[in-house]
Amino acid sequence: MMAVINISRELLAARAAYILRGNDLGELTTAAPQLYPHLWSWDAAFVAIGLATVSVPRAIAELRTLLRAQWLNGMLPHIVFGPDVDYFPGADVWDSACAAAAPRDVRTSGICQPPVHAIAVRHVLAAGRRNGGSDRELAERFAEGTFDRWLAWHRWLAEARDPSRRGLLEIYHSWESGMDNSPRWDSAYAKVVPKVDLAVRSRRDLQHVADASQRPTDAEYRRYLWLVHQMREARYDDDTVRETVDFRVTDVFMSAVLALAADELAEIGDEFGRTDEAAELRTLAARFRAGVLSTVSDETGLARDEDVRARAWVETETIAGFAPLLCGADPSVVRRQVGLLSGPQWCDHPALRYAVPPSTSPTSPAFQPRTYWRGPQWPVMNWLFCWALERQGVAPALTARIREDSLRQLADLSFGEYYEPLTGEALGSSHQSWTAAVALDWTLGPAASRRP
């Protein structure tokens, strides 16, 4: 078992800031310097949250880089490709230029990721106001001036990805969830059979792990590439993709994030006189909050995804099951979920090195402690759940415990992509930008003043 490392909050913050500076390409922060050399959509939002604690202008620049890649239909793509660096699958595989809505001057992927961006805008705005002066002026001008772009993003999700208006977003690739190889997707992927031979070229991820079993297999990658092929054949047209792609699943986690982000964007709208749009966003948030609540299992207490093609619930016990804790829900559901998350199936499991939620319950047959989203703990997820619970004034003892154990986990200063939950070992890439970003917010942001 690894020894506990104790370091000062100041040292952790200084090292986190150093990591972000090292990954900074000017107006784009790479997700990780070696493994992920471009900008990822939801990474950029968390990076902006961290950057806002040290430089409001630089945080704004990060979000503007993402907005420059926004599609005409409102979608924010999950990858914005930066300088030419060997990466697979790269811009040539996506060929997003075949889509009528894609930008012509920026190379992007053709899918999206969870819409956490309004949360970042609120953090940037709050940081600017705390600092005052030019930072306040810049942050307020940015929030007001980009409001319609974030609104278009939310509208696209609500219209294109919830065609039945159930309050549940559909995804057509597991990469859209951000939880690429989670066991949430196993049953849906079992029915994805590539019809053409798609070569899996040199994978950077396998160069950054000692054991290839930590990452998705080549067989999984062929399924991933087949879905990209199908979407590219459909020219990324929303209606065509929905009817033709082999993977079609409602994502309860992503739906909860949209409800949460819509409420955040509504508050921004109110502040800048966009009351009609704020009311629209609150209606949208209510729709998706209700959708999330409709998926909660009476038996397990967890929210569930649905395999739309198979018309079947996904019962696997993953961190996504706590989606109601992100967006708020019926108080009885929240109380039960807080009890579950803090109990022996999750954070209080006796084998865990740190009392933070693993991506899959250690009591689940699907739990694999060293394999990406199938068991490891992710600091960015710890931050998101802590922030959402604090925002609602729910479970202060649990959030304080998760925050403190997360900071102890990060005390090795590797800022790992994810962590082995039984040993505390950093896995995946090191110097991960969003890990450094949440460490900065925990140590220098408003939450830092609430630490005991």
Side-chain angles (χ1 to χ4, degrees), residues 182-192 223 246-247 249 305-310 312-316 374:
S182 171
R184 300 165 67 191
W185 317 127
D186 286 358
S187 60
Y189 270 123
K191 296 182 284 292
V192 175
R223 295 189 184 105
D246 289 340
F247 183 98
V249 181
D305 307 302
E306 183 185 13
D307 184 337
V308 177
R309 296 281 186 231
W313 290 116
V314 178
E315 303 284 354
T316 312
R374 304 183 73 88

Side-chain angles (χ1 to χ4, degrees), residues 334-355:
V334 170
R335 283 194 299 272
R336 185 180 181 187
Q337 289 218 322
V338 167
L340 284 170
L341 187 59
S342 58
Q345 289 179 282
W346 290 90
C347 292
D348 203 32
H349 190 280
L352 296 183
R353 178 63 171 150
Y354 297 105

Side-chain angles (χ1 to χ4, degrees), residues 353-418:
R353 178 63 171 150
Y354 297 105
V356 299
S359 46
T360 301
S361 170
T363 63
S364 168
F367 177 69
Q368 295 176 254
R370 301 182 68 83
T371 306
Y372 211 38
W373 284 99
R374 304 183 73 88
Q377 296 160 325
W378 291 72
V380 71
M381 288 292 100
N382 303 342
W383 182 94
L384 183 60
F385 275 93
C386 281
W387 178 80
L389 289 169
E390 288 173 343
R391 175 182 180 273
Q392 300 169 56
V394 171
L398 175 61
T399 57
R401 183 185 183 191
I402 292 175
R403 182 171 60 247
E404 291 305 308
D405 266 33
S406 294
L407 289 169
R408 291 200 304 129
Q409 188 175 58
L410 297 177
D412 67 350
L413 300 181
S414 67
F415 298 95
E417 184 179 2
Y418 46 95

Side-chain angles (χ1 to χ4, degrees), residues 12-24 29-33 413-415 430-437 440:
L12 183 62
R15 182 63 178 174
Y18 173 81
I19 295 300
L20 287 182
R21 282 197 300 271
N23 295 352
D24 188 352
T29 303
T30 61
L413 300 181
S414 67
F415 298 95
S430 60
H431 296 186
Q432 190 81 12
S433 290
W434 66 1
T435 305
L440 268 179

Side-chain angles (χ1 to χ4, degrees), residues 263-310:
D263 274 335
E264 290 293 291
L265 192 59
E267 291 186 18
I268 295 173
D270 280 338
E271 292 179 22
F272 293 103
R274 303 295 294 275
T275 54
D276 289 345
E277 290 84 354
E280 175 191 344
L281 285 161
R282 289 194 173 93
T283 298
L284 186 155
R287 170 176 141 198
F288 282 91
R289 191 174 297 111
V292 169
L293 187 59
S294 74
T295 73
V296 175
S297 165
D298 290 336
E299 181 179 350
T300 67
L302 297 177
R304 298 169 290 181
D305 307 302
E306 183 185 13
D307 184 337
V308 177
R309 296 281 186 231

Side-chain angles (χ1 to χ4, degrees), residues 54 71 86 112 114 132 139 165 199 244 255 331 342 366 412:
V54 293
W71 286 31
D86 181 41
C112 63
R165 298 184 65 82
T244 59
S255 302
S342 58
D412 67 350

